[in-house]
Amino acid sequence: MSTPLEKWVNEQAKLTKPDKVYWCDGSDEEARRLIEIGIKEEKISGNPVFHELNQKIWPNAYYHRSHPTDVARTEHLTYVCHPDKDVAGPNNNWMEPSKAKNMMTKLSDGCMKGKTMYVLPYTMGHPDSPYAKACIQITDVSYVAISMRIMTRMGKKAIERIGNSTDFVKGFHSIGDLDPNKRFIMHFPDEHLVWSIGSGYGGNALLGKKCFSLRIASWLGYQEGWLAEHMVILGIQDPKGNVTYVTAAMPSACGKTNLAMLESTLPGYKVWTIGDDIAWLNVGPDGRLYAINPEAGLFGVAPGTSMKTNPNMMRTLKADKFYPTLFTNTALNTDTNEPWWDGIDGPVPENLTDWQGNPWDVSKNSKASHPNARFTVSVYNAPALSKEFDNPRGVPISAIILGGKRTHLIPLVTEAFDWQNGVFLGARTGSETTAAATHKEGVLRRDPMAMLPFCGYNMGDYFKHWLSIGKKLKNPPKIYSVNWFRTDDNGKFIWPGFGDNIRVLKWIIDRSAGNAGAKETPIGMVPDIKDMALEGLDIPKKNIEKLFEINHCEWKKELQDIEKFITQFGKHTPPEIWQEYDKLSKKL
Ligand code: GTP
Ligand code: SPV
Ligand code: MN
């Protein structure tokens, strides 16, 4: 008698017709074998899946190039298929589920012919956590199998947790023929199913990440009373040794990984890493908010990472611990066989092979590494990994930070007046688009709680859900907005960012403990310059003032854009959001 899990896998094999079906056990030995296959046998568009990098300088590191049309999440090809379009909301592409299934069945018929179907059993969250979820993914690419092994907890424990039950999350992935016209990332929230075809890249293919842990999980959280958020989790240790845990939401490529790995420039402070992308937030038995990181790896942006900006990440990437580490779409130093990207330490090497595999020509003004080039590395390699990382209960959260990338208007840091005002602060957050998804870069869009591309249901209902979570909390965490990206008259970032962001975190944890000053403004509480630890920074006074300024005239324009955005959700928007909108509007 086969279990429901085996039955589902067999059905997918019948449809996709692979040569072989292979169940992964998540071991080191297996990873070595799959990488060997990816180097010697398996090909994508004629190219080997993996290339071995210089093992002396980059231990356990391998290189992968994805197809040039397949280098970022494709939001326009991503659908959330609730039976009712209104449940998906204007924030999602929608297709009627049976229509979507028919289309995907046709596209998937025989799609794994001549290939191996890898079966990946994994849990999101520690297998002993009450908040963890057991999942299965199938894929026909060894790169995806290896990436999932780094990013999740893969192995027998997941199969044991599923047992004979039908309660498991299903992920179907095939790279298909990479034709962008036949590329779809389909979500069926009520069936806990993600069906993705035609892409081998990141969030389109590693289905435990954005697809399950945010889009499907946010829907589960809405029904079950918890939150799945696009947030980092970190512990901030003060000079007395006390550790305060906070979460921070920021849109893709806006600084989460860097914040999670921060190396403090303030003496006596230290940041402990728990997660860099996703947090699941539950109301604990004591009425406090607890966060777990469902992932076990870091899928981070390579460009901009260096010993100067993010030394902890450079150490993580060179650690000789968990096997293996992957680099995708960076450039290659042709002479030394090392990965290379913009912003890495040292001079630009003489001979580079670009991310598409061609000799790089400086004069052509093209990028040697793709702006969304990434590394995939185990969080267990991180030197500042929190000892609480594997705590099944998670960590209690004292403050929630909601950020965005804004070159104008938004102050360095703002504290919401209360939870309801904080939910509005999140709802009104905008951010300038980045290379993490395929769209024009640098365009301002509203991105509430950094969840616009990831909320698996109507965003109006999502705001309602946030409000209801606040009511369940005994002492709700304070809510903050941050913006590292304000520019001066010459278009240069004013705030040094990175390790100096500890100065903002210090103000936040001091405020949460009731130990720091602030002044009231229409948009929230903002530090006075004297309230912030700014010693040792070399920023002209005029620019410092700009970091904390509230320009009423510009804010009135911002309000119009906010109103337009919130209006879309119609009757789904809770009245509390409009109350907060009216209050702000009056104050301005
Ligand atoms: P995703 O993995 O897409 O979710 O991105 P992320 O939010 O984790 O962003 P990440 O930390 O990888 O940073 C993205 C880019 O922003 C990198 O090029 C960083 O160098 C840059 N960045 C991060 N933090 C700061 C900061 O404090 N100031 C400035 N100016 N840039 C930053
Ligand atoms: C993001 O875009 O927010 C990422 C990368 O973290 S991906 O896995 O592609 O979603
Ligand atoms: Mn992300």
Side-chain angles (χ1 to χ4, degrees):
M1 269 287 279
S2 58
T3 63
L5 174 65
E6 289 161 348
K7 201 166 149 244
W8 184 78
V9 171
N10 289 339
E11 280 166 15
Q12 309 319 307
K14 228 188 215 162
L15 172 64
T16 58
K17 306 179 181 67
D19 276 9
K20 262 192 285 189
V21 175
Y22 173 77
W23 287 69
C24 289
D25 63 14
S27 66
D28 254 16
E29 192 271 316
E30 174 182 272
R32 275 174 222 282
R33 235 178 323 118
L34 294 196
I35 287 178
E36 202 60 26
I37 291 172
I39 292 174
K40 294 202 179 126
E41 296 167 31
E42 205 181 297
K43 303 231 162 19
I44 298 177
S45 322
N47 298 313
V49 176
F50 290 117
H51 163 83
E52 186 177 81
L53 291 164
N54 186 326
Q55 298 290 302
K56 281 205 194 93
I57 309 173
W58 301 87
N60 300 336
Y62 297 85
Y63 179 71
H64 171 80
R65 268 187 208 111
S66 66
H67 192 269
T69 66
D70 185 32
V71 293
R73 282 181 296 102
T74 42
E75 293 179 4
H76 62 294
L77 304 173
T78 301
Y79 288 72
V80 177
C81 306
H82 288 283
D84 181 354
K85 185 174 184 197
D86 203 36
V87 175
N91 46 300
N92 282 301
N93 298 314
W94 177 84
M95 202 181 281
E96 200 276 311
S98 61
K99 187 179 159 201
K101 281 241 172 107
N102 280 337
M103 183 186 80
M104 294 304 274
T105 304
K106 276 193 200 121
L107 288 173
S108 305
D109 191 359
C111 66
M112 295 192 187
K113 267 187 198 153
K115 299 184 184 181
T116 298
M117 178 169 107
Y118 301 101
V119 183
L120 319 171
Y122 66 97
T123 62
M124 294 311 286
H126 192 281
D128 298 335
S129 171
Y131 309 129
K133 301 278 179 193
C135 314
I136 196 85
Q137 175 171 338
I138 57 161
T139 181
D140 51 8
V141 189
S142 58
Y143 167 77
V144 173
I146 293 290
S147 301
M148 287 292 287
R149 172 165 179 272
I150 302 169
M151 296 305 297
T152 73
R153 290 156 167 106
M154 187 184 289
K156 233 178 39 222
K157 279 207 166 176
I159 297 180
E160 283 165 14
R161 206 174 146 131
I162 296 170
N164 237 322
S165 121
T166 52
D167 179 21
F168 57 93
V169 177
K170 307 165 198 77
F172 175 118
H173 172 255
S174 169
I175 196 162
D177 58 8
L178 284 166
D179 176 354
N181 295 315
K182 292 192 236 154
R183 180 175 296 160
F184 291 99
I185 297 90
M186 291 287 179
H187 301 72
F188 302 91
D190 288 333
E191 294 173 54
H192 307 177
L193 167 68
V194 184
W195 195 335
S196 162
I197 193 161
S199 166
Y201 192 80
N204 290 341
L206 314 181
L207 304 184
K209 200 173 177 52
K210 296 311 195 324
C211 297
F212 170 55
S213 290
L214 290 179
R215 295 194 194 94
I216 303 266
S218 61
W219 174 244
L220 296 180
Y222 179 57
Q223 292 168 319
E224 299 168 2
W226 54 282
L227 291 166
E229 296 295 331
H230 192 196
M231 289 178 174
V232 319
I233 312 168
L234 45 94
I236 306 157
Q237 185 174 314
D238 70 14
K240 286 190 192 134
N242 299 320
V243 181
T244 307
Y245 295 96
V246 308
T247 63
M250 288 165 187
S252 303
C254 288
K256 284 183 304 301
T257 302
N258 279 273
L259 188 65
M261 312 286 285
L262 182 149
E263 194 167 79
S264 169
T265 57
L266 284 182
Y269 285 83
K270 178 163 175 69
V271 164
W272 297 101
T273 308
I274 294 175
D276 83 320
D277 201 46
I278 298 175
W280 285 354
L281 306 174
N282 281 273
V283 182
D286 57 359
R288 294 187 70 182
L289 192 64
Y290 283 84
I292 65 161
N293 172 13
E295 302 191 280
L298 312 161
F299 182 60
V301 178
T305 310
S306 69
M307 282 309 284
K308 208 168 118 232
T309 57
N310 194 348
N312 270 328
M313 186 47 97
M314 293 306 289
R315 289 180 199 119
T316 306
L317 293 174
K318 288 191 174 173
D320 192 2
K321 281 158 74 182
F322 186 97
Y323 184 94
T325 295
L326 307 180
F327 292 89
T328 302
N329 297 338
T330 62
L332 268 185
N333 182 328
T334 321
D335 300 320
T336 63
N337 193 27
E338 291 179 79
W340 186 89
W341 54 81
D342 296 277
I344 196 173
D345 308 275
V348 179
E350 231 163 81
N351 295 303
L352 283 172
T353 306
D354 74 12
W355 64 275
Q356 300 194 56
N358 304 312
W360 184 57
D361 183 350
V362 198
S363 64
K364 282 206 181 124
N365 206 18
S366 65
K367 290 255 182 227
S369 66
H370 190 276
N372 194 35
R374 297 214 172 221
F375 47 74
T376 319
V377 63
S378 170
V379 79
Y380 292 105
N381 284 9
L385 184 67
S386 163
K387 65 177 182 8
E388 296 294 325
F389 175 74
D390 274 322
N391 185 337
R393 180 205 64 172
V395 292
I397 296 303
S398 299
I400 295 176
I401 301 168
L402 306 169
K405 183 172 191 171
R406 296 293 297 267
T407 46
H408 296 92
L409 190 78
I410 303 296
L412 181 63
V413 58
T414 313
E415 179 188 273
F417 297 118
D418 52 33
W419 182 271
Q420 176 172 313
N421 182 248
V423 176
F424 174 62
L425 178 154
R428 66 167 169 75
T429 301
S431 194
E432 288 157 29
T433 50
T434 66
T438 51
H439 42 211
K440 200 168 173 296
E441 266 180 72
V443 179
L444 177 63
R445 70 172 184 185
R446 294 294 127 199
D447 193 351
M449 288 80 170
M451 282 290 278
L452 184 72
F454 307 119
C455 179
Y457 60 103
N458 193 309
M459 208 140 209
D461 295 326
Y462 170 76
F463 299 147
K464 218 178 284 169
H465 186 44
W466 262 77
L467 291 168
S468 79
I469 293 283
K471 293 203 179 95
K472 285 191 207 158
L473 292 167
K474 235 186 224 152
N475 200 355
K478 288 198 176 187
I479 298 179
Y480 296 82
S481 90
V482 297
N483 175 28
W484 315 140
F485 299 97
R486 204 94 187 228
T487 52
D488 64 15
D489 299 338
N490 304 316
K492 282 229 160 79
F493 294 126
I494 298 174
W495 184 247
F498 303 101
D500 283 311
N501 291 333
I502 189 70
R503 298 167 191 270
V504 176
L505 295 179
K506 177 183 183 307
W507 183 75
I508 287 174
I509 61 171
D510 287 349
R511 286 290 295 171
S512 298
N515 298 332
K519 60 178 184 217
E520 188 169 338
T521 79
I523 63 163
M525 305 301 287
V526 173
D528 206 47
I529 292 176
K530 68 172 182 349
D531 300 321
M532 287 270 301
L534 298 173
E535 61 275 7
L537 289 181
D538 182 25
I539 309 174
K541 182 144 186 280
K542 179 183 99 187
N543 282 347
I544 286 276
E545 277 163 3
K546 215 178 211 172
L547 287 177
F548 301 103
E549 125 204 309
I550 315 289
N551 181 324
H552 285 229
C553 193
E554 294 284 314
W555 265 100
K556 279 182 199 153
K557 270 190 246 154
E558 174 89 353
L559 260 188
Q560 288 172 5
D561 196 48
I562 293 167
E563 182 185 352
K564 205 170 117 204
F565 177 77
I566 294 175
T567 303
Q568 291 179 79
F569 305 106
K571 64 178 182 355
H572 292 269
T573 302
E576 290 90 338
I577 294 293
W578 286 120
Q579 276 167 26
E580 292 297 324
Y581 174 90
D582 289 338
K583 272 195 248 171
L584 175 56
S585 174
K586 276 200 197 97
K587 284 184 194 166
L588 287 167

